[in-house]
Amino acid sequence: MATATATATATATITVTKIGGRIGAEIGGVQLGGDLSDGTVAEIRAALLAHKVVFFRGQDHLDEAGHEAFAQLLGAPVAHPTVPSADGRYALGIDSHHGARANQWHTDVTFVPAYPAFSILRAVTIPPYGGNTLWANTATAYSNLPEPLRALADSLRAVHSNEYDYAALKPDALPEALAQYREVFTSTKFLTEHPVVRVHSETGERTLLLGNFVQRINGLTGHDSRALQDLFQSHIESPENTVRWQWRAGDVAIWDNRATQHYGVDDSGDHERTLRRVTVDGDVPVGPDGEPSRLISPDGVPDPAFGIASGASTSTASASASA
């Protein structure tokens, strides 16, 4: 009885404070870890699905093990398809000294079919200024489109790839960052076809599935494809559709990777910025027509580390190490 009372009391202390009109909430009264009650986890998950990204201050007690133990309460942690993590752990280092701020909008790892459902990012070292992260709600971006554009988006499919012009995207990148991109991030080159609109498997919402991993929209010329990508992306990036988080050491952010894009701002000069991310396995997206995403290349990769076989994926992980 005492245990049940303690659990109920702990659950009752949770607060959820909305911080953006369309996206973002701060959760208080929770010390994250692997020992949370089912009720507490259910409340966190509900807030996450409702607000798309949730933030926790003062989680300085978390280490790699505690970070991963908490992730297991939301699902199955997964490793990045191409970027190795230290000591076999799922936590992926995001280090400013290795070019790990994207300065571009993206959804994590959409170059594989079953990209992550959730990402959990923990701040370790934060610069004295800058280094914020922005998130955008891809569900409200879709629902606020004019009806003709929603109908058009519903009919489109796009090819996503982890191979893109990194040098053009970051012209000031150090040679070692370019080498890491070529030798690690694209060590296996993926092509995956996704619907431009996915039906969220938990909420039923329709969300726009785009971002910097999109290579082309099927059936269109390069010019027309880019014009349409820019059109839909502009609705995702609309300021009313976003939230910006100013990090403190010990903060944790969790986002629904099926209903958001994010952007790590590279504006803190040479100051150190170090974060750790653990991702939770997702499912294969399905479009409004019921057609699932499909792996194009590499065809039928059998390696269980990628969770991809016979053209389908069941396990992936975080993004291009950028947030």
Side-chain angles (χ1 to χ4, degrees), residues 65-156:
H67 190 167
E68 293 180 6
F70 169 71
Q72 290 175 346
L73 300 178
L74 293 177
V78 283
H80 194 281
T82 63
V83 181
S85 57
D87 304 322
R89 289 194 174 276
Y90 293 110
L92 184 68
I94 298 176
D95 187 341
S96 57
H97 297 312
H98 293 92
R101 270 169 289 183
N103 262 3
Q104 54 191 315
W105 286 100
H106 64 285
T107 296
D108 287 343
V109 200
T110 59
F111 50 85
V112 298
Y115 58 89
F118 301 117
S119 290
I120 306 166
L121 190 62
R122 174 171 57 95
V124 178
T125 304
I126 296 303
Y129 57 82
N132 298 172
T133 303
L134 292 81
W135 282 265
N137 186 335
T138 60
T140 54
Y142 172 85
S143 64
N144 283 281
L145 288 172
E147 191 283 328
L149 288 183
R150 289 200 304 272
L152 175 59
D154 287 346
S155 70
L156 298 174

Side-chain angles (χ1 to χ4, degrees), residues 97-243:
H97 297 312
H98 293 92
R101 270 169 289 183
N103 262 3
Q104 54 191 315
W105 286 100
H106 64 285
T107 296
D108 287 343
V109 200
T110 59
F111 50 85
V112 298
Y115 58 89
F118 301 117
S119 290
I120 306 166
L121 190 62
R122 174 171 57 95
V124 178
T125 304
I126 296 303
Y129 57 82
N132 298 172
T133 303
L134 292 81
W135 282 265
N137 186 335
T138 60
T140 54
Y142 172 85
S143 64
N144 283 281
L145 288 172
E147 191 283 328
L149 288 183
R150 289 200 304 272
L152 175 59
D154 287 346
S155 70
L156 298 174
R157 293 179 72 87
V159 174
H160 296 232
S161 177
N162 60 329
E163 186 175 27
Y164 56 91
D165 193 346
Y166 182 87
L169 203 61
K170 295 180 74 71
D172 57 346
L174 296 173
E176 53 266 33
L178 290 170
Q180 182 189 42
Y181 168 75
R182 296 189 187 101
E183 296 170 14
V184 178
F185 187 61
T186 57
S187 56
T188 300
K189 297 174 183 177
F190 291 96
L191 287 175
T192 294
E193 181 192 272
H194 288 298
V196 168
V197 176
R198 88 169 280 177
V199 179
H200 196 290
S201 55
E202 290 191 69
T203 66
E205 295 173 299
R206 294 188 181 189
T207 68
L208 290 173
L209 175 44
L210 291 167
N212 76 295
F213 294 121
V214 173
Q215 193 175 78
R216 66 181 185 277
I217 293 179
N218 281 1
L220 298 180
T221 64
H223 175 78
D224 290 342
S225 173
R226 175 48 57 189
L228 269 188
Q229 289 177 60
D230 289 345
L231 172 63
F232 290 122
Q233 188 66 33
S234 70
H235 287 270
I236 293 171
E237 298 172 20
S238 170
E240 296 81 4
N241 202 46
T242 65
V243 67

